[in-house]
């Protein structure tokens, strides 16, 4: 059987199960089916092979005590919401590590450590409506250990789930249903990611940096105007530097493709904002009244980058601890940005939040 024929057969089988479970809607959602991932030919952004699936890439290998939360809003009236944690494998039966499905027309909630079939995994303590605050949802996943996941909605505990796959196999979050928007994806790294730990990225080439003492995160999906990124953490006593770079994917992902960079030198008390296009450093207006020490609150940092477009120009607005620093015009398309790289004297990275 050819790959194409096999894929069509899998789609047909999935649709039959889908309809039998009555979880489909007028919006032609795929319900608790499993999205395959593919490369789209011009870039290595993963794409869902289902028209109504929204696919987010996990930004860092999941570990014990990590939590991550996805929030958004539903259309009115809500019909279904399906959130899946997936490996990205092509095998329909092995791809899903954890799945939550809310059927609002029956007010039922299902949770399973695999693809939900035959309405298994019914939660008797909560209902589909319990996942919503008005039209908004906020669903959290806590990595208790390698094989146990705690699921939350808002601040309420929903269920603990024993997984069949280790949490470090999870690469994607897929969201289905009549979802109006996905607003945020945020991570809390428990005791924090230490600056001397390096993670080899699962799918894409790791950026090539002279400094190996770095932490690299993946952007969860295409950035666009109004998207934002906020990173918080701490530096040790008497740090020398902290550098945060937003990096575009090119044929050679290195210092040649920095869309935006905040570079602080604490030993000189200087702060520079940079952008590099194909190896050429672009002039960026810097407010010299703002120094490296201004971005710290004690030993803590909280830096935000917000995408903005106007007059044919892409710009990053940069803030520190909610105080505006400056803007950085960039010669890069927001959609090309794939990595966040942190370098320098980093004690811990504590949280990472994306406004999508």
């Amino acid at each position: 059987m050819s790959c194409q024929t096999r894929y069509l057969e899998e789609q047909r089988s999935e649709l039959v199960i889908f309809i039998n479970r009555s979880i489909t809607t007028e919006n032609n959602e795929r319900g608790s089916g499993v999205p395959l991932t593919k490369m789209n030919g011009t870039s290595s952004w993963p794409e869902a092979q289902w028209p109504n699936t929204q696919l987010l890439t996990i930004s860092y290998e999941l570990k014990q005590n990590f939590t991550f939360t996805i929030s958004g809003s539903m259309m009115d009236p809500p019909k279904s919401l399906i959130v899946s944690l997936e490996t990205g494998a092509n095998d329909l039966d092995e791809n899903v590590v954890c799945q939550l499905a809310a059927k609002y027309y029956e007010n039922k909630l299902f949770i399973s450590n695999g693809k939900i079939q035959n309405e298994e995994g019914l939660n008797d303590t909560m209902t589909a409506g319990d996942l919503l605050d008005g039209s908004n949802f906020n669903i959290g996943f806590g990595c208790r250990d390698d094989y146990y996941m705690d699921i939350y909605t808002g601040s309420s505990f929903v269920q603990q789930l024993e997984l069949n796959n280790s949490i470090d196999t999870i690469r994607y979050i897929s969201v289905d249903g009549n979802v109006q928007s996905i607003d945020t994806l945020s991570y809390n790294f428990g005791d924090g990611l230490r600056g001397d730990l390096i993670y080899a990225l699962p799918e894409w080439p790791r950026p090539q940096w002279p400094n190996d003492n770095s932490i690299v995160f993946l952007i969860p999906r295409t950035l666009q105007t109004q998207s934002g990124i906020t990173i918080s953490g701490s530096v040790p006593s008497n740090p020398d530097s902290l550098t945060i770079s937003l990096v575009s994917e090119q044929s050679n992902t290195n210092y040649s493709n920095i869309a935006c960079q905040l570079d602080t030198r604490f030993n000189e008390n200087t702060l520079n904002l940079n952008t590099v296009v194909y190896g050429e450093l672009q002039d960026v207006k810097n407010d010299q009244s703002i120094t490296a020490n201004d971005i710290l609150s004690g030993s803590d940092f909280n830096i935000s980058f917000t995408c903005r477009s106007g007059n044919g120009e892409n710009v990053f607005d940069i803030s520190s601890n909610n105080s505006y620093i400056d803007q950085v015009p960039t010669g890069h398309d927001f959609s090309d940005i794939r990595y966040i790289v942190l370098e320098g004297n980093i004690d811990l990275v504590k949280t990472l939040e994306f406004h999508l």
Side-chain angles (χ1 to χ4, degrees):
M1 180 184 294
S2 70
C3 291
Q4 183 177 8
T5 303
R6 177 186 167 194
Y7 174 67
L8 291 174
E9 288 299 321
E10 288 171 339
Q11 278 193 309
R12 256 186 231 109
S13 300
E14 193 69 20
L15 184 60
V16 170
I17 296 172
F18 188 126
I19 294 172
N20 287 342
R21 285 200 309 269
S22 302
I23 200 167
T24 188
T25 73
E26 295 175 1
N27 291 336
N28 192 32
E29 299 155 13
R30 66 174 180 84
S32 55
V34 182
L36 306 180
T37 58
K38 65 178 181 179
M39 301 306 175
N40 66 12
T42 58
S43 81
S44 59
W45 276 107
E47 291 185 340
Q49 289 187 352
W50 304 89
N52 293 302
T53 299
Q54 299 191 56
L55 192 65
L56 305 178
T57 300
I58 292 290
S59 295
Y60 196 88
E61 181 181 27
L62 296 179
K63 300 178 183 294
Q64 184 176 344
N65 296 324
F66 284 12
T67 61
F68 57 100
T69 304
I70 184 168
S71 70
S73 62
M74 302 293 296
M75 296 178 185
D76 188 21
K79 298 176 181 178
S80 66
L81 171 65
I82 304 96
V83 179
S84 307
L85 308 183
E86 309 184 6
T87 66
N90 285 334
D91 191 310
L92 293 173
D93 293 323
E94 296 181 359
N95 190 23
V96 171
V97 177
C98 173
Q99 190 169 80
L100 176 151
K103 298 168 61 173
Y104 291 101
Y105 51 91
E106 295 181 7
N107 204 19
K108 291 181 179 180
L109 178 65
F110 301 87
I111 300 174
S112 175
N113 59 358
K115 183 178 64 174
I116 295 172
Q117 302 185 76
N118 302 318
E119 298 198 339
E120 64 187 4
L122 179 65
N123 185 297
D124 294 324
T125 63
M126 300 187 72
T127 65
D130 293 329
L131 294 185
L132 295 183
D133 180 7
S135 63
N136 298 319
F137 63 86
N138 186 297
I139 298 172
F141 298 88
C143 303
R144 181 179 290 264
D145 61 25
D146 288 348
Y147 286 91
Y148 281 89
M149 185 78 73
D150 292 331
I151 302 174
Y152 300 86
T153 176
S155 59
S156 300
F157 178 76
V158 177
Q159 186 173 318
Q160 181 186 117
L161 192 66
E162 183 177 4
L163 307 178
N164 293 322
N165 297 77
S166 175
I167 57 174
D168 62 6
T169 65
I170 298 170
R171 292 289 181 264
Y172 304 100
I173 307 168
S174 71
V175 181
D176 293 278
N178 59 328
V179 176
Q180 180 167 283
S181 66
I182 296 177
D183 299 329
T184 64
L185 172 61
S186 58
Y187 296 88
N188 185 308
F189 298 114
D191 297 330
L193 295 175
R194 298 200 61 83
D196 56 356
L197 298 180
I198 298 173
Y199 168 51
L201 298 177
E203 298 285 344
W204 303 324
R206 190 177 188 276
Q208 300 171 14
W209 303 101
N211 178 13
D212 283 337
N213 186 20
S214 60
I215 297 177
V216 181
F217 297 104
L218 302 180
I219 301 292
R221 73 175 183 188
T222 304
L223 297 179
Q224 54 193 335
T225 300
Q226 302 303 321
S227 295
I229 301 167
T230 300
I231 307 161
S232 75
S234 62
V235 296
S237 300
N238 302 314
D240 290 328
S241 66
L242 169 65
T243 303
I244 303 175
S245 305
L246 307 184
V247 184
S248 294
E249 182 195 37
Q250 303 291 344
S251 58
N252 189 20
T253 307
N254 53 32
Y255 273 117
S256 298
N257 341 297
I258 296 175
C260 182
Q261 182 182 76
L262 179 145
D263 183 31
T264 57
R265 303 292 163 168
F266 296 105
N267 51 356
E268 302 170 0
N269 201 20
T270 59
L271 183 150
N272 294 305
L273 303 176
N274 304 311
T275 182
V276 181
V277 182
Y278 297 113
E280 182 179 347
L281 180 67
Q282 307 293 309
D283 290 331
V284 176
K285 177 179 70 69
N286 293 312
D287 186 345
Q288 298 300 324
S289 67
I290 301 175
T291 65
N293 290 329
D294 291 328
I295 73 164
L296 295 181
S297 175
S299 63
D300 295 332
F301 63 86
N302 185 290
I303 307 294
S304 296
F305 301 83
T306 302
C307 303
R308 176 167 57 86
S309 297
N311 300 320
E313 187 175 50
N314 289 336
V315 174
F316 287 97
D317 289 318
I318 303 180
S319 300
S320 172
N321 297 304
N322 298 317
S323 295
Y324 183 73
I325 295 179
D326 211 332
Q327 66 178 25
V328 178
T330 179
H332 295 252
D333 290 334
F334 294 138
S335 61
D336 288 336
I337 299 171
R338 312 300 289 277
Y339 308 99
I340 307 167
V341 181
L342 280 74
E343 302 171 273
N345 303 110
I346 304 165
D347 187 14
L348 299 173
V349 179
K350 299 176 181 177
T351 65
L352 175 63
E353 183 170 351
F354 297 95
H355 293 269
L356 301 170

